[in-house]
């Protein structure tokens, strides 16, 4: 389940983190961001993937 | 010389060598895929041959002449004369170098180049009809295809581009004399860039626009800066009027007739009429239905966030796939298409596509406006820096306009920016990186910016949004 | 009119109203601190009055005249004449507007302005000596002080700036006629900016430099682009030679005599001699020892990462605190000083301070070079994009130079960038943000960049470093 953490449902993450999320099949919107303002980093995405976070059905194919 | 049909195969077939297609082809080849690029006309597409590049060359030439002729205030006295034939020749040289470069880059990356018109004969097959000497056609089997056939100018009924005095944007970029009086139908970005260019070249320019302002998608205060400057250059605006017809004038020129919604008519004496009311997708002759692909009601090919059409192994990128109809969007989509085909985790997940208008001054925008941010549910924090408070702007003699940064009040995330002023097209790059990265106002404000530069205004606008600007009063 | 001593108190005392001092004062006032700014000469310091701003104004004026006079290739014919008096007048107007603006901004933010020369009489006290009409002095008690007294040009023995024909950079920015022959002693950034300016204004320029190239801190291939262009403009370079003396020439001009390390002598006939061999800190008359503050062996005030001197409540920022002696570094340090004084968690933790040289073409750099990255233990991934492959560069007629991006091979983090070419001073802003944000090559490459812009070259260089460039061949 991905609770949008911004009003528009937009997740703030640099392109490199977004691409990594797709590669690992992670829904970037479901990742807890550790950066300023809750920005999602590549490390956050990895931690989420390793922590068995919800896989993204619409992720990498 | 191939007469009759040969059938060859390719992993990736790209149709159209504009900024969408040639970039897709090069990246596909870089990914190790056997790639074939079919182009019917000229490498580089509309952008390099009769769009972005030639227009910017003429904007430079006319701009330099105009600037030098109006620099007494800084002690520079010149009375420049423009040799239009020579300017066009220079422009053609630039185009030739670039299109030649595209061809070379394709070959260097191992892309197979085929000249001809492609049309689908099945889900995995096109026929390429060769024109000219190498007449005949060949059949190409492909595993994946990328449609990148671009767009062409929309014609207004009664204004046939075949007429000598009715100009498309392509004609306006190829004229070897400057008309005394130029009528411009359409105040969008192409119309405004060319209206400014010709006004600086000495034409009396009259713009006719159906809407009640120029540059429809932009904010009022952004438009105002450009419109005011155009008026200073002598451009006359007629809003709320649609071009209805032209007639020959007794004096040898033409009368451009317009009509308001209420049926009120006006006429303007002109020598040439540039029609720039928008662009439509090029899909005719492609026989898309043979591949099972449909277009939307405006004729664009619909795609998903991986640039795939309804037929999964056929992608579409660039103008033919709809908004934003911009060269860099086309290229970005081309890269995504190639990478998706290669099995990479690519997608059109760009946060924002910047856009520029090369008027005087320029406009550069990216991401959300204040209104769009509010609409999306953010509480917008907005900061501005006017260029008339920028030291660098003053030292260039160009102080019109401003930088505006829009952010989310709560988190500080930069959501977008609007710049109108000198070098706006370049300055927006930093804001685009900020938006794409998820940078905050503090990140931008704390980044040391070189003095004296126009880019300092981006930092200053970010500080202004935080109530901490140094060189402008905080709201 | 104050005669005799009055004693007043202030929370924050700032000495010197250059880009270090006035920014510190404004931010301190914004932080709610009672702030007093003492300036002995002119608001804006060296930068606004005889540095960054006036030099850039003359660079614009001379550049426009030169460009317009050399644009036949693009069909623009002009034979510009420069009215040097008028250009200086325009420059002065720009300076006045900016320095007036600084004064207004200080007042609007509630900064108390005091005119006079400040000198320490104790750890918490200065005396301000007023000159002119309001002669006399006053004593000011402070809780915190910020020393921002800047720098002045270094004199070379035998070349006295008091002589009419020996120019400091300030004199070169205030000359109302262009000398026929200009000797420039020193090929650093100030010497090179002014050499280029005067060459474009028609002077025969001879540069004498002790080292064996211009622009010492820059990489060879960066220097080469600027040197080559300067040579095209007619600038003559004499490396490995130090200026030893001048004598009067029989023809009315002067002979500039130089000597190599081996004692070989040369002479050059000149009309003016610009000495631009560096800048030294201004601390004389400050009586720093009364506050217990020492200077290093070059005369600079030493500070820590919170801009504090050895005496904790006294800060120093800008040129007087040493490298990088740049206006934006001064302002950044001024902000940090004010925030530290206000108890904020600020520090000089900037990753990189960008720098620009406004020669033709410009240089913009930030962060590490390839060599510095290797030195620091990174495995550098380097990407380049030459401007002669940039469509935008071609349409402006300026295709010299390149963008280079240096990153860490393993993580992709952007470590620095070197740009030499058109608008390099502006383009470096995006790279600076990337370095400051910890952006990766992929982040820069995946950010959509507007076409056609010079900024695309930054993206392209990032792609090149990843072996994925489209518009240039990958290494
Ligand atoms: C005057 C003007 C100025 C512009 N300025 C800018 C600007 O500054 N910045 C910007 O971003 N955009 C600008 N644009 C828009 C830009 O040109 C387009 O967005 C861009 O060219 C779209 O690229 P594309 O690859 O989708 O299509 P195109 O560039 O249109 O290329 C399509 C190619 O496909 C070929 N083709 C079509 N059908 C077939 C077929 N069946 N078989 C084989 N080949 C075929 C065509 O010959 C053409 O070469 C401008 C446009 C104009 C007209
Ligand atoms: C020709 C030239 C071009 C330059 N171009 C650039 C450029 O493009 N970009 C860039 O970043 N840098 C440039 N610089 C460098 C830049 O000018 C300095 O780095 C900058 O001015 C330093 O700022 P500051 O506040 O430390 O000191 P300053 O600007 O030197 O200001 C110090 C102020 O303190 C005052 N003062 C000194 N002592 C006292 C006292 N005892 N009591 C009261 N007031 C006092 C002085 O009158 C002066 O106003 C250039 C310099 C020169 C000479």
């Amino acid at each position: 389940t991905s609770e949008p953490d911004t009003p528009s449902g937009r997740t703030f993450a640099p392109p490199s983190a977004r691409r990594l999320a797709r590669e690992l099949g992670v829904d970037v919107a479901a990742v807890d961001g550790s950066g300023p303002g809750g920005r999602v980093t590549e490390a956050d995405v990895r931690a989420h993937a390793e922590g068995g976070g919800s896989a993204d059905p619409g992720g990498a194919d | 010389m191939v007469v009759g049909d040969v059938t060859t195969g390719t992993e990736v077939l790209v149709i159209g060598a504009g900024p969408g297609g040639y970039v897709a082809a090069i990246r596909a080849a870089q990914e190790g895929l056997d790639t074939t690029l079919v182009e019917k006309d000229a490498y580089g597409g509309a952008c390099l041959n009769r769009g972005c590049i030639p227009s910017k060359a003429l904007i430079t030439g006319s701009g330099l002449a105009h600037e030098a002729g109006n620099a007494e205030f800084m002690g520079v006295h010149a009375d420049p004369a423009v040799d239009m034939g020579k300017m066009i020749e220079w422009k053609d040289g630039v185009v030739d170098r670039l299109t030649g470069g595209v061809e070379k880059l394709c070959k260097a990356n191992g892309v197979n180049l085929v000249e001809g018109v492609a049309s689908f004969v099945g889900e995995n097959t096109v026929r390429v009809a060769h024109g000219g000497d190498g007449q005949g056609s060949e059949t190409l089997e492909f595993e994946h295809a990328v449609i990148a056939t671009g767009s062409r100018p929309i014609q207004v009924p009664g204004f046939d581009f075949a007429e000598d005095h009715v100009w498309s944007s392509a004609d306006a970029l190829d004229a070897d004399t400057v008309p005394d009086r130029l009528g411009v139908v359409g105040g969008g970005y192409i119309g405004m860039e060319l209206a400014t260019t010709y006004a600086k070249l000495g034409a009396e320019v009259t713009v006719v626009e159906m809407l009640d302002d120029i540059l429809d998608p932009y904010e009022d205060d952004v438009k105002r800066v450009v419109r005011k400057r155009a008026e200073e250059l002598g451009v006359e605006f007629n809003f709320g009027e649609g071009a209805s017809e032209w007639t020959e004038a007794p004096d040898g020129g033409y009368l451009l007739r317009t009509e308001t919604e209420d049926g009120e008519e006006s006429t303007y004496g002109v020598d040439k009429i540039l029609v720039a009311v928008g662009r439509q997708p090029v899909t005719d002759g492609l026989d898309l239905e043979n591949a099972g692909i449909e277009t939307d009601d405006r004729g664009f090919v619909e795609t998903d966030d991986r640039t795939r059409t309804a037929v999964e192994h056929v992608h579409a990128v660039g103008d033919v796939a709809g908004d934003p109809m911009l060269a860099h969007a086309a290229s970005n989509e081309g890269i995504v298409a190639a990478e998706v085909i290669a099995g990479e985790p690519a997608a059109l997940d760009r946060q924002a596509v910047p856009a520029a208008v090369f008027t005087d001054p320029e406009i550069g925008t990216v991401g959300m406006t204040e209104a769009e941010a509010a609409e999306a549910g953010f509480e917008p924090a907005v900061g501005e820096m006017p260029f008339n408070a920028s030291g660098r702007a003053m030292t260039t003699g160009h102080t019109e306009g401003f930088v505006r940064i829009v952010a989310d009040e709560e988190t500080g995330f930069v959501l977008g920016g609007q710049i109108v002023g000198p070098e706006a097209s370049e300055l927006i790059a930093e804001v685009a990186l900020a938006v794409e990265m998820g940078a905050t106002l503090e990140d931008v404000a704390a980044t040391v910016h070189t003095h004296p530069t126009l880019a300092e205004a981006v930092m200053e606008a970010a500080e202004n949004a935080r109530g901490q600007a140094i060189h402008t009063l905080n709201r």
Side-chain angles (χ1 to χ4, degrees), chain A residues 6-8 10-15 18-19 22-23 36-39 58-61, chain B residues 306 308 339 344-345 347 349 351 368 376-378 411 413 415 435-439 443:
Chain A
T6 59
S8 65
R10 173 151 151 203
T11 304
F12 290 85
R18 281 180 257 144
R19 186 174 172 112
R22 267 194 309 278
E23 194 173 338
R39 178 166 64 220
D61 30 336
Chain B
R306 315 269 156 146
R308 292 176 299 217
E339 294 189 354
E344 307 259 2
D349 67 346
Q351 294 298 318
M368 296 183 189
F378 293 101
T411 58
F413 286 131
L415 301 171
V435 170
E436 205 64 51
M437 288 290 299
D443 291 328

Side-chain angles (χ1 to χ4, degrees), chain B residues 315-368:
Chain B
H315 296 242
V317 302
D319 283 7
V320 76
D323 285 331
M325 293 171 73
L326 293 168
H328 43 285
S331 295
N332 181 250
E333 291 159 18
I335 284 180
V336 170
E339 294 189 354
V340 168
I341 289 170
E344 307 259 2
L348 285 183
D349 67 346
R350 55 199 185 193
Q351 294 298 318
V353 174
V357 183
F358 294 79
T359 38
D360 180 1
E362 296 179 352
I363 298 173
T365 58
V366 68
M368 296 183 189

Side-chain angles (χ1 to χ4, degrees), chain B residues 16 19-20 39-40 45-47 56 118 149-150 189 279 318-319 326-328:
Chain B
E39 168 58 51
K40 68 172 180 188
C47 179
K56 268 80 257 181
T149 47
Y189 85 92
R279 296 178 64 83
D319 283 7
L326 293 168
H328 43 285

Side-chain angles (χ1 to χ4, degrees), chain B residues 3 26 55 74 97 128 140 165 188-189 219 235 267 299 316 398 440:
Chain B
V3 184
I26 290 176
S55 61
M74 57 167 74
R97 261 172 75 197
V128 180
L140 265 162
H165 61 282
Y189 85 92
E219 292 166 291
V235 177
T267 47
H398 297 289
T440 64

Side-chain angles (χ1 to χ4, degrees), chain B residues 147-469:
Chain B
I147 303 170
T149 47
S151 66
R152 66 165 66 91
I154 294 175
Q155 292 218 27
V156 170
F159 295 82
D160 187 344
F161 291 142
E163 299 278 355
D164 226 38
H165 61 282
V166 178
W167 277 0
S168 69
S169 52
D171 299 320
L173 296 169
D174 242 349
D176 49 12
T177 50
V178 177
D180 290 336
R181 300 166 304 170
L182 177 66
V184 177
V185 179
Y189 85 92
I190 294 176
M192 282 306 299
E193 287 185 4
L194 291 168
T196 309
T197 303
Y198 274 92
K200 289 187 176 178
L201 290 171
E204 214 173 274
V205 179
T206 305
V207 175
V208 171
E209 165 62 56
M210 288 244 255
L211 303 176
D212 58 7
D213 205 345
I214 57 169
L215 297 173
D216 183 36
Y218 292 96
E219 292 166 291
D220 284 346
D221 55 355
V222 172
K223 295 176 190 183
R224 194 180 309 129
V225 175
V226 173
R227 204 187 52 232
K228 221 186 106 206
R229 178 83 181 108
E231 282 165 354
E232 282 168 22
L233 292 169
V235 177
E236 234 185 73
F237 292 101
N238 305 283
F239 295 115
E241 300 181 21
S244 49
E245 59 164 7
W246 58 265
T247 53
E248 282 183 35
D251 65 355
Y254 300 89
L255 292 174
L256 169 59
R257 197 175 302 274
T258 68
E259 217 178 286
T260 65
E261 247 184 26
D262 307 338
E264 239 177 278
E265 298 209 332
S266 310
T267 47
Y268 305 98
V270 297
D271 297 297
K272 300 282 179 194
I273 303 168
L274 165 63
V275 178
V277 297
R279 296 178 64 83
Q280 62 194 14
V282 171
T283 53
D284 44 298
L286 259 184
D287 297 340
L288 285 176
E289 61 286 358
N290 290 343
I293 295 166
E294 289 173 17
T295 55
D296 69 15
D297 48 6
R298 293 165 62 213
F300 293 104
V301 179
E302 281 174 294
T303 53
D304 66 9
D305 73 336
R306 315 269 156 146
T307 72
R308 292 176 299 217
T309 66
V311 179
E312 259 209 25
H313 67 282
V314 180
H315 296 242
V317 302
D319 283 7
V320 76
D323 285 331
M325 293 171 73
L326 293 168
H328 43 285
S331 295
N332 181 250
E333 291 159 18
I335 284 180
V336 170
E339 294 189 354
V340 168
I341 289 170
E344 307 259 2
L348 285 183
D349 67 346
R350 55 199 185 193
Q351 294 298 318
V353 174
V357 183
F358 294 79
T359 38
D360 180 1
E362 296 179 352
I363 298 173
T365 58
V366 68
M368 296 183 189
T369 61
E370 177 170 4
E372 286 164 352
E375 177 94 7
F378 293 101
E379 193 188 314
V382 178
E384 282 181 16
M385 167 74 174
F387 281 114
N388 68 17
S390 151
R392 182 53 174 148
M394 286 187 210
T395 64
T396 66
H398 297 289
T399 54
E400 324 79 14
F402 56 83
V403 174
R404 179 158 51 223
I405 299 280
V406 178
D408 174 34
E409 176 70 47
E410 196 193 322
T411 58
F413 286 131
V414 177
L415 301 171
Q418 297 83 41
I419 306 181
V420 55
E423 302 297 342
S425 66
E426 303 293 348
L427 299 179
I428 202 67
E430 182 191 357
V431 186
L433 182 68
V435 170
E436 205 64 51
M437 288 290 299
T440 64
L441 288 172
E442 185 175 359
D443 291 328
V444 176
T447 296
V448 182
H449 283 64
T450 317
H451 182 75
T453 58
L454 300 166
E456 288 175 287
V458 172
M459 169 182 74
E460 194 81 20
E463 286 178 332
N464 182 247
R466 309 178 78 217
Q468 297 201 314

